[in-house]
Amino acid sequence: MEQKKTPGINSTIVNQLNSSSPETVIKALKQLKETGNTSYIPTLIEVLHTASDQEIRNQIVRLLSDLKQTDAVPFLIEAIENKKYVNELRFLTSACWENGLDYSNHLSLFIDLVIEQELETAIEAYTVITNMSGKISQEIADKESRKLKEAMLESDEQKKALMHDLLDFLPAFERGISPQSY
């Protein structure tokens, strides 16, 4: 991945993240964990995609799961939408509910993941949705409900159960929910 010159990006850290030495990559990951800069997220996701070392992969997933900066949301959503990262989709989706950031503006994307992806990723997306807070319009609730009902006609029993729970969740979300109140 070609790294553009971005404010706050240290090219030495980017080079370390792209190193063939697992020790060098892990050292850079530890440094990022301490300093925290969301501008590195695209690089981290690319390293997650290309790394074969399991410890590197685990540390990146942990870093993404520990994010607390709201400006990280667009980076994660962009990666989830990118077909290139289909093999990392479960980990990226899991990071979304684990980091506790607000993804309510992306409800439709996560409902699509519940419908279209294999069960493990669908469960992660379901968890992101049920941890959302705020309020959605009746129009959005109706649209997403129709989508879920249609998908249930062709889904297996496990995914049908997830979708049925979401159908129960959407009216609460429409009325307005606070975190952990569902």
Side-chain angles (χ1 to χ4, degrees):
M1 175 172 132
E2 191 174 314
Q3 185 68 41
K4 296 182 183 115
K5 193 74 172 155
T6 307
I9 295 275
N10 179 325
S11 60
T12 303
I13 292 176
V14 172
N15 290 338
Q16 290 173 339
L17 288 170
N18 289 308
S19 172
S20 59
S21 163
E23 295 80 18
T24 302
V25 176
I26 290 170
K27 178 183 168 193
L29 290 171
K30 286 180 181 170
Q31 187 175 352
L32 282 179
K33 185 174 177 117
E34 292 172 15
T35 60
N37 181 336
T38 56
S39 299
Y40 290 98
I41 292 174
T43 303
L44 290 172
I45 291 169
E46 185 62 23
V47 173
L48 177 66
H49 177 67
T50 58
S52 57
D53 184 282
Q54 196 56 48
E55 181 59 25
I56 290 171
R57 294 177 59 80
N58 291 342
Q59 285 203 25
I60 292 171
V61 170
R62 257 184 302 221
L63 253 175
L64 297 175
S65 297
D66 290 342
L67 291 170
K68 297 301 173 211
Q69 301 93 334
T70 57
D71 61 337
V73 171
F75 292 115
L76 289 169
I77 293 300
E78 184 178 322
I80 287 169
E81 292 175 330
N82 189 334
K83 301 294 182 217
K84 174 181 179 180
Y85 300 121
V86 69
N87 292 329
E88 291 74 37
L89 195 53
R90 180 171 57 95
F91 304 111
L92 295 170
T93 306
S94 173
C96 291
W97 70 263
E98 289 179 11
N99 64 35
L101 296 173
D102 181 15
Y103 296 91
S104 56
N105 289 333
H106 305 283
L107 172 66
S108 185
L109 170 65
F110 289 100
I111 285 180
D112 288 346
L113 293 175
V114 170
I115 292 169
E116 298 167 6
Q117 296 301 315
E118 83 286 342
L119 186 61
E120 287 181 328
T121 301
I123 290 170
E124 301 294 352
Y126 167 88
T127 306
V128 174
I129 295 166
T130 57
N131 281 289
M132 290 179 178
S133 61
K135 187 173 181 172
I136 58 171
S137 69
Q138 181 177 356
E139 180 184 346
I140 290 172
D142 291 346
K143 177 184 172 214
E144 298 305 323
S145 292
R146 281 191 303 275
K147 193 177 0 176
L148 287 165
K149 287 175 184 173
E150 189 176 307
M152 286 174 70
L153 298 172
E154 300 177 14
S155 294
D156 64 35
E157 291 306 311
Q158 291 175 308
K159 285 185 64 175
K160 268 186 196 172
L162 292 177
M163 291 181 219
H164 189 271
D165 282 355
L166 290 177
L167 285 171
D168 290 341
F169 175 78
L170 287 176
F173 198 17
E174 181 185 340
R175 289 188 303 272
I177 53 176
S178 59
Q180 310 304 325
S181 69
Y182 172 69

